[in-house]
Amino acid sequence: MRMFQVCTCGQPLQLNEKPTPEPKGTEVLLKIKAAGVCHSDIHIWDGYYELGGGKRMQLLERGIKLPLTMGHENVGEVVAVGPDAKGVKVGEIRLANPWIGCGECMVCRRGEENLCKTPKNLGVFSDGGYATHLVVPHPRHLFDIGSLTPVQAAPLACSGVTAYSALKKVSENLKDEPVVIMGAGGLGLMAISLHKAMGGKSVIMVDIDPAKREAALKAGAVAAIDGRAPDAAKQIIDATKGGAWSVIDFVGSSDTVKLGVDAITKGGKIIVVGLFGGDITISTPFFPMRAMTIQGSYVGSLPEMKELIELVGRTGVPQVPIRERPLEEVQEALDDLKAGKVIGRVVLTPA
Ligand SMILES: [Zn+2]
Ligand SMILES: [Zn+2]
């Protein structure tokens, strides 16, 4: 098999080869059909997250080992099945849930493998899909994509389930109040589409890039606000008729979280998803006085992945612009994403 690997953080990926693995135990071997390129790959590749105030969290100190094959949005064809892998057959096309825990702790048994303290996430803590082949440790992580094509389905594995899980965290107000979404990248556009599928009222998008605001309006947002405008908070308060009940922040910078705090109404909720990095100071009386919630959301759980696949099966494929590129162009795809040049999602397909 061939795989593009991070061998040194920040350096171009290297094309390496090794014998194609034989699946053992419950493992399933997929031949990759489609692998989405996600913004979090940029952080893994760089090797750190910005913590604000000049501090950084180094990923190599957090259990990520090099060389690593990134790629966590994968759909492939089952080409070999371990002796204990039940319910899966050679020839089936399956999406691989990458958010994999130990499978044994209480958190995993509740289905929240994405919160397991010993994560084995594909493309993050174990090898992912920027490759010809991928080993998935257990068939419970494989999902039938129905009538979707592999390229359409791949982004559901991260951007889809991440947007879905964030939207679920504000579901109490989704049908009656507009939701403010910060960041009109692949995740933001996915959220607009899923929000509609979930019966949401309307989306107000905030982004600093006019091209991305335009893409958001095209995707169905009712308003698109420049997050760098001096009166951005007031514009959000006006557009939500008195302040936002729900803000989903797919950027996660000091500026966006602060803008969210300034723009919510009493009882409002901010869901922080993005890993741009930074820090903020909040006056503690705001929490009780404004009955404010700031909650983090990390990808999605296995049950949420199942719900998402069912939702998309009922309501149709999310309308996110997708650009297909050959696997060999993975480096260019990452460079373009880092430079902010990608609208929607890039999905790689091996030859
Ligand atoms: Zn991702
Ligand atoms: Zn676990």
Side-chain angles (χ1 to χ4, degrees):
M1 64 176 285
R2 289 177 296 122
M3 61 277 186
F4 287 86
Q5 296 192 301
V6 182
C7 295
T8 309
C9 287
Q11 295 300 309
L13 306 194
Q14 281 181 28
L15 174 59
N16 289 327
E17 281 189 40
K18 68 171 184 184
T20 305
E22 290 264 342
K24 299 181 292 286
T26 59
E27 289 175 349
V28 177
L29 180 70
L30 299 182
K31 187 169 189 293
I32 295 288
K33 292 269 198 191
V37 181
C38 176
H39 208 279
S40 64
D41 288 332
I42 305 290
H43 297 292
I44 300 168
W45 177 33
D46 282 341
Y48 60 85
Y49 293 117
E50 293 286 357
L51 298 179
K55 289 181 296 223
R56 285 177 171 178
M57 182 176 101
Q58 298 295 332
L59 297 185
L60 291 178
E61 290 160 17
R62 309 281 299 187
I64 289 182
K65 291 183 190 72
L66 301 182
L68 171 73
T69 309
M70 299 194 296
H72 52 266
E73 291 188 338
N74 306 300
V75 173
E77 179 183 345
V78 176
V79 288
V81 172
D84 304 320
K86 305 284 178 247
V88 57
K89 286 202 280 298
V90 168
E92 289 174 338
I93 306 292
R94 291 289 180 267
L95 175 138
N97 170 53
W99 313 115
I100 298 174
C102 69
E104 281 156 22
C105 71
M106 197 51 89
V107 178
C108 281
R109 279 191 272 158
R110 281 201 298 264
E112 295 178 305
E113 293 194 40
N114 55 315
L115 304 181
C116 178
K117 285 180 184 159
T118 48
K120 299 179 169 66
N121 302 341
L122 301 177
V124 184
F125 294 103
S126 64
D127 282 338
Y130 295 164
T132 54
H133 294 77
L134 171 72
V135 175
V136 179
H138 194 281
R140 73 174 178 280
H141 295 291
L142 297 176
F143 290 87
D144 189 349
I145 60 170
S147 61
L148 304 190
T149 67
V151 169
Q152 286 172 328
L156 297 176
C158 177
S159 92
V161 82
T162 301
Y164 179 73
S165 184
L167 285 162
K168 272 195 76 175
K169 290 181 173 73
V170 297
S171 58
E172 66 273 20
N173 293 317
L174 216 56
K175 290 187 171 68
D176 307 316
E177 301 285 350
V179 53
V180 174
I181 295 180
M182 305 216 183
L187 263 168
L189 297 181
M190 178 68 84
I192 294 177
S193 190
L194 291 177
H195 169 270
K196 198 194 278 174
M198 292 164 81
K201 181 182 160 79
S202 59
V203 170
I204 294 160
M205 181 61 74
V206 178
D207 200 293
I208 57 173
D209 179 346
K212 292 191 176 144
R213 289 201 296 276
E214 188 62 43
L217 290 170
K218 243 170 103 183
V222 293
I225 292 166
D226 179 359
R228 279 210 183 122
D231 64 342
K234 187 178 176 302
Q235 287 189 51
I236 297 171
I237 291 167
D238 289 347
T240 51
K241 301 196 166 52
W245 276 96
S246 310
V247 175
I248 298 178
D249 183 354
F250 288 127
V251 182
S253 69
S254 309
D255 290 346
T256 55
V257 178
K258 182 170 186 314
L259 181 57
V261 170
D262 291 343
I264 53 169
T265 188
K266 273 192 187 178
K269 228 177 183 184
I270 301 168
I271 310 297
V272 182
V273 181
L275 287 162
F276 184 91
D279 58 0
I280 61 163
T281 302
I282 299 174
S283 302
T284 51
F286 281 2
F287 284 97
M289 286 167 66
R290 300 177 60 195
M292 177 168 78
T293 303
I294 302 182
Q295 184 179 0
S297 187
Y298 179 69
V299 299
S301 66
L302 200 55
E304 283 171 338
M305 186 71 81
K306 189 164 179 280
E307 288 169 24
L308 171 67
I309 301 280
E310 283 166 8
L311 176 73
V312 169
R314 276 200 314 279
T315 58
V317 60
Q319 295 303 307
V320 177
I322 290 180
R323 177 173 172 207
E324 233 181 286
R325 295 183 83 157
L327 173 63
E328 284 63 33
E329 291 178 18
V330 57
Q331 187 60 51
E332 290 85 344
L334 286 168
D335 290 339
D336 286 353
L337 191 61
K338 194 172 185 178
K341 286 195 271 186
V342 174
I343 298 285
R345 211 69 172 166
V346 170
V347 176
L348 304 169
T349 49

